[in-house]
């Protein structure tokens, strides 16, 4: 008898729970049906906000991209001028005779594997709108070449790299070298200088 009472009570509780659950579902469905007309209005109201947010993100991305390109251009200018001056200084350090023919021209004589060779570094004006550059010409039977080869300058995706000034001067047993370059796109300039001991014959 007692077990039957517990079963009846459980059945009543189960029926009541189903009834409450059904009422909640109907209430949720009716509330969703009532709000169905507001979805389009909410989308139309939020769409301009999304467009402004995307435009802002795109503008920030363009700004960082431009800054990155400018940074790479200035870095390339610095590396190109430094490496060019280092190369000139290395050749001058191994020279047997050095002559500064003019402020923007340097003549070096040296021996390469027993063969006499001369090197001429000259600051030249670029042709067809190209910026000024440093050219190198090697004269010799085996290691020479006929036309001067550019060492610096030119155009690339990062900017237009120009040599603004190239100087060489003999002073107190030293060869003083000075090189200045400019990125024509960003107007940034970098300058490097170094000194090399002159050969015994030029002191």
């Amino acid at each position: 008898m007692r077990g039957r009472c517990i079963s009846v009570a459980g059945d009543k509780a189960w029926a009541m729970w189903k009834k409450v659950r059904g009422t909640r579902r109907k209430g949720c469905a009716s509330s969703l049906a009532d709000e169905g007309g507001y979805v389009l209005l909410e989308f139309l109201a939020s769409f301009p906000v999304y467009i402004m947010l995307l435009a802002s993100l795109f503008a920030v991305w363009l700004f960082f991209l431009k800054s990155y390109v400018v940074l790479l251009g200035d870095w390339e200018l610095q590396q190109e001028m430094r490496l060019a001056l280092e190369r000139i200084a290395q050749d001058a350090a191994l020279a047997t005779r050095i002559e500064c023919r003019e402020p923007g021209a340097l003549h070096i004589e040296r021996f390469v594997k027993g063969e006499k060779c001369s090197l001429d570094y000259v600051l030249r004006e670029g042709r067809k709108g190209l910026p000024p550059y440093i050219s190198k010409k090697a004269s010799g039977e085996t290691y020479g070449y006929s036309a001067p080869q550019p060492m610096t300058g030119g155009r690339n995706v990062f900017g237009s790299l120009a040599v603004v000034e190239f100087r060489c001067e003999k002073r107190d047993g030293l060869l003083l070298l000075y090189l200045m370059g400019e990125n024509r796109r960003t107007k940034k300039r970098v300058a490097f200088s170094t000194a090399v001991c002159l050969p015994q014959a030029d002191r």
Side-chain angles (χ1 to χ4, degrees):
M1 187 71 178
R2 185 177 178 183
R4 185 178 178 183
C5 291
I6 293 175
S7 176
V8 171
D11 292 341
K12 288 182 178 180
W14 176 253
M16 187 178 295
W17 181 80
K18 287 177 68 177
K19 184 177 181 181
V20 170
R21 186 180 178 190
T23 305
R24 287 182 179 176
R25 282 186 176 179
K26 288 180 181 178
C28 292
S30 62
S31 62
L32 288 175
D34 293 339
E35 294 181 1
Y38 294 103
V39 174
L40 181 60
L41 293 176
E42 290 176 354
F43 174 76
L44 293 176
S46 60
F47 186 71
V49 178
Y50 291 142
I51 294 297
M52 291 179 61
L53 179 61
L54 289 176
S56 301
L57 291 176
F58 184 70
V60 170
W61 179 77
L62 283 180
F63 173 77
F64 280 110
L65 181 62
K66 183 179 179 181
S67 301
Y68 178 70
V69 171
V70 168
L71 182 64
L72 283 182
D74 293 341
W75 178 83
E76 184 177 356
L77 170 69
Q78 182 175 355
Q79 291 296 103
E80 190 168 314
M81 296 300 121
R82 181 180 63 82
L83 292 175
L85 192 65
E86 284 183 1
R87 183 59 182 165
I88 297 172
Q90 288 175 3
D91 289 334
L94 300 174
T96 56
R97 182 172 171 272
I98 295 177
E99 182 181 351
C100 297
R101 295 182 173 175
E102 54 186 82
L106 177 65
H107 178 76
I108 298 172
E109 293 181 1
R110 52 176 294 194
F111 285 90
V112 179
K113 295 183 179 180
E115 179 185 339
K116 187 175 181 179
C117 179
S118 64
L119 303 171
D120 289 286
Y121 291 96
V122 181
L123 174 60
R124 299 181 183 273
E125 288 294 329
R127 296 180 180 178
K128 298 180 180 179
L130 292 176
Y133 63 97
I134 298 291
S135 72
K136 175 183 178 181
K137 182 179 180 182
S139 302
E141 293 183 4
T142 306
Y143 303 99
Y145 41 84
S146 57
Q149 303 296 318
M151 292 186 62
T152 61
R155 287 181 179 151
N156 52 39
V157 295
F158 303 118
S160 183
L161 308 183
V163 178
V164 178
E165 187 177 359
F166 173 57
R167 295 199 312 263
C168 56
E169 180 184 357
K170 293 181 179 180
R171 186 191 303 171
D172 300 329
L174 296 174
L175 174 66
L176 306 178
L177 298 171
Y178 178 85
L179 183 63
M180 177 184 287
E182 179 187 41
N183 185 343
R184 287 186 169 182
R185 179 174 295 177
T186 63
K187 304 302 181 183
K188 181 176 181 179
R189 292 188 175 187
V190 293
F192 293 94
S193 61
T194 187
V196 180
C197 290
L198 288 170
Q200 194 67 33
D202 293 330
R203 294 181 185 178

